[in-house]
């Protein structure tokens, strides 16, 4: 695993650099393998990135039609619900792209949680032509970081943290009073590249713990994202970086 850390002066500059990076990786994947698999993050941080990428919808040099779109996690709501991660990305970005609906591999949050997880796992395997025990090699996974150290919907103390076989889990999240649907470490850690995008002063404390504190992924699940045969990139704005020592020692 190779790991890097980059700090950008503002969240806007972070989003602009991330937009260029997404396009760059999609192009590289399509040149190398004729297709690209992109896993989107939920939450608010990536929304400015998604808006910037929407502005490139008509850019003929971006191979949008060769991308397979996945999600790192989803809430147990239908796609039109304001909490839906799919709905958020669809409304600001994906609805504007020249892409075929069958390329959108949505997590069906409207279904009972375990059924949605099983269906999403089958869909990942089908879309990527994976064998029964084969792990997905997503070209790029975008992730955020919660102030409690969660990422995707891998929350502190969750039984999903110990999942080593299934690609998708449907853990009960007590602090939310609901189930969540999430890729597991086996799915995340087999990726070719993982980019954490973290912005805002409210993330500075947890970021310092994640990056410079003791390795305790049960308490700080983001620490468990370590793509063995891939790249790990932490892209931050100055507010989130706070007083972090900038030399990468991941
Ligand atoms: C979600 C995300 C979650 C998010 C973090 C950070 O569904 O909410 O997958 O893991 O990335 O909670 O959220 P913000 O970007 O809103 O701070």
């Amino acid at each position: 695993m190779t790991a890097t850390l980059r700090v950008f002066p503002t969240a806007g500059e972070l989003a602009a650099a991330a937009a260029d990076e997404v396009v760059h990786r999609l192009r590289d994947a399509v040149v190398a393998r004729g297709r690209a698999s992109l896993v989107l993050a939920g939450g608010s941080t990536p929304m400015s990135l998604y808006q910037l990428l929407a502005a490139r919808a008509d850019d003929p040099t971006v191979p949008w039609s060769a991308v397979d779109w996945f999600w790192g996690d989803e809430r147990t709501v239908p796609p039109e619900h304001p909490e839906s991660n799919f709905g958020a990305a669809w409304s600001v970005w994906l609805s504007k792209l020249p892409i075929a609906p069958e390329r959108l591999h949505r997590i069906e949050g409207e279904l009972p949680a375990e059924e949605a997880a099983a269906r999403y796992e089958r869909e990942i395997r089908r879309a990527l032509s994976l064998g029964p025990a084969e792990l997905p090699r997503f070209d790029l996974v975008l992730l955020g970081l919660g102030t409690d150290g969660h990422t995707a919907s891998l929350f502190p103390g969750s039984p999903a943290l110990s999942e080593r076989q299934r690609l998708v889990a449907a853990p009960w999240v007590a602090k939310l009073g609901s189930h969540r649907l999430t890729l597991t470490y086996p799915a995340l850690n087999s990726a070719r590249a993982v980019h954490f995008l973290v912005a805002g002063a409210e993330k500075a404390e947890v970021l310092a713990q994640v990056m410079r504190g003791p390795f305790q992924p049960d308490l700080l699940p983001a620490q468990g994202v370590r793509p063995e045969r891939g790249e790990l990139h932490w892209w931050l704005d100055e507010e989130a970086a706070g007083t972090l020592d900038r030399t990468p020692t991941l």
Side-chain angles (χ1 to χ4, degrees), residues 219-241:
L219 297 178
L220 297 167
Q223 288 184 328
V225 178
R226 303 182 65 78
E228 295 93 355
R229 295 177 295 140
E231 303 170 29
L232 176 63
H233 302 285
W234 284 86
W235 282 17
L236 323 173
D237 72 349
E238 276 290 352
E239 282 193 9

Side-chain angles (χ1 to χ4, degrees), residues 43-64:
S44 57
T45 301
M47 293 310 289
S48 47
L49 163 63
Y50 298 163
Q51 283 160 348
L52 289 173
L53 288 168
R56 302 179 74 161
D58 301 326
D59 181 342
T61 69
V62 186
W64 296 124

Side-chain angles (χ1 to χ4, degrees), residues 121 125 130-136 159-169 183-188 190:
E121 175 144 356
R125 293 192 177 286
L130 299 180
E134 189 179 354
L135 293 172
L161 300 177
S162 54
E163 178 57 58
R164 293 293 177 269
Q165 304 300 321
R166 293 173 61 188
L167 304 180
V168 185
L183 291 182
T184 57
Y185 286 136
L188 296 172
S190 54

Side-chain angles (χ1 to χ4, degrees), residues 86-110:
F86 167 85
W90 172 259
S91 59
V92 301
W93 176 23
L94 303 179
S95 55
K96 297 160 173 59
L97 296 185
I99 53 180
E102 55 269 21
R103 290 281 196 169
L104 296 171
H105 310 289
R106 177 176 73 85
I107 306 173
E108 297 164 294
E110 66 275 21

Side-chain angles (χ1 to χ4, degrees), residues 184-209:
T184 57
Y185 286 136
L188 296 172
N189 287 339
S190 54
R192 289 187 168 88
V194 176
H195 265 67
F196 278 93
L197 305 176
V198 188
E202 73 278 8
K203 303 291 176 74
E205 183 181 345
V206 68
L207 197 69
Q209 292 168 15

